[in-house]
Amino acid sequence: MKNVLTLAIILILSYSASFAQDLAGRRIINGNLNFNLINNNNSNQSNFNSNIALLYGKIKSDNTYLALGGRLGISNFSTATGEFEKYSNTLYQVGPSVAYGKFIPLANKFFYAPELGGNITGYFGNGTGIGATINVSPLRFMYHFAENFMLTAQLGSAGLGFQQLNDVTIIDLSSSIANNSGIGVFYTFKAK
C-alpha cells in the first residue's frame, strides 16, 4: 500500500511539473482597471478615481517572471461650499510598474503564485509630486483553465507607500487578509 501511495504521489508531481514546464517561455500580460465614484449630495462633495495598469513579461525556465509596464490614472475631488462657490482638484498620475512572481505547481493546472511588485508615480494637475509603492501578495493562487488564460485568486496583501504632493507627505503601511481579497485573469501566450 505504501508503494502504491508513493508511486501515485510521484506520478502526480511529475505530471504537475511537466505542465509547469509548459509555462516556461510563455509571455504574460497582466492588467488592472480600477474605477471609483462617490457622490454625496448632502455635503455637495464628489470624488472620482480611475487608473489602469498594464504589465508585460516572460516566464523563465524556473517558472519565475519579471513583468514591466506602466500606470495611468486620474483623480478628481470637488465640493461646493455655497450657491456659486465651488472647489475642484484634479490630479493625473503616470509612472512605471514592475512585478516579480513565481509559479509553484500544487496540482494539475493549479499553482501557488506569490508576487512582489511596485510602482513609481508622478502627479500632475492642480498639484505636483511623486509617489512610490511596494506590495507583496504572499497568498495568491492561479488555475490555468484555458490555453491562454489563468484565473487568479488573492487572499490578502501587504504594502508600503510613500507620497509627496505639494507640501504634504503621506506614508502608508498596510496589510490585509480579507479586505484586499480579489480574483482576476492572467493572460499568457507563446511568442513565435
Side-chain angles (χ1 to χ4, degrees):
M1 182 68 179
K2 184 178 179 183
N3 291 337
V4 173
L5 183 60
T6 304
L7 182 61
I9 290 172
I10 290 171
L11 287 174
I12 289 170
L13 291 176
S14 65
Y15 182 75
S16 295
S18 68
F19 183 79
Q21 290 174 352
D22 185 43
L23 291 176
R26 294 181 70 89
R27 308 290 179 171
I28 57 171
I29 296 176
N30 186 9
N32 293 315
L33 174 64
N34 296 320
F35 179 80
N36 184 8
L37 175 64
I38 300 171
N39 190 15
N40 186 340
N41 291 329
N42 292 331
S43 64
N44 293 321
Q45 293 181 347
S46 66
N47 191 5
F48 168 79
N49 293 303
S50 177
N51 66 62
I52 185 170
L54 190 62
L55 296 164
Y56 173 82
K58 180 179 178 182
I59 302 172
K60 298 178 185 175
S61 61
D62 62 353
N63 289 330
T64 62
Y65 65 89
L66 179 66
L68 303 172
R71 179 176 173 261
L72 296 170
I74 184 170
S75 299
N76 177 272
F77 172 79
S78 63
T79 184
T81 57
E83 189 174 326
F84 298 105
E85 192 176 340
K86 185 173 182 180
Y87 171 77
S88 182
N89 186 11
T90 302
L91 286 176
Y92 302 95
Q93 306 150 23
V94 62
S97 295
V98 64
Y100 175 79
K102 181 167 180 72
F103 298 101
I104 301 167
L106 297 176
N108 184 24
K109 300 184 179 186
F110 187 66
F111 299 90
Y112 169 59
E115 184 180 61
L116 173 68
N119 60 56
I120 298 173
T121 305
Y123 297 94
F124 310 95
N126 291 94
T128 58
I130 191 163
T133 61
I134 186 167
N135 51 60
V136 62
S137 301
L139 296 174
R140 195 175 81 155
F141 300 91
M142 292 192 171
Y143 179 69
H144 200 174
F145 69 94
E147 175 67 22
N148 294 329
F149 293 97
M150 300 177 87
L151 182 66
T152 67
Q154 178 178 313
L155 302 176
S157 67
L160 176 63
F162 166 81
Q163 183 180 30
Q164 175 73 44
L165 186 59
N166 294 339
D167 294 332
V168 178
T169 301
I170 300 170
I171 297 176
D172 180 27
L173 176 62
S174 63
S175 66
S176 174
I177 293 297
N179 291 340
N180 284 340
S181 301
I183 55 175
V185 176
F186 206 76
Y187 180 74
T188 69
F189 64 96
K190 289 186 179 180
K192 298 193 182 207

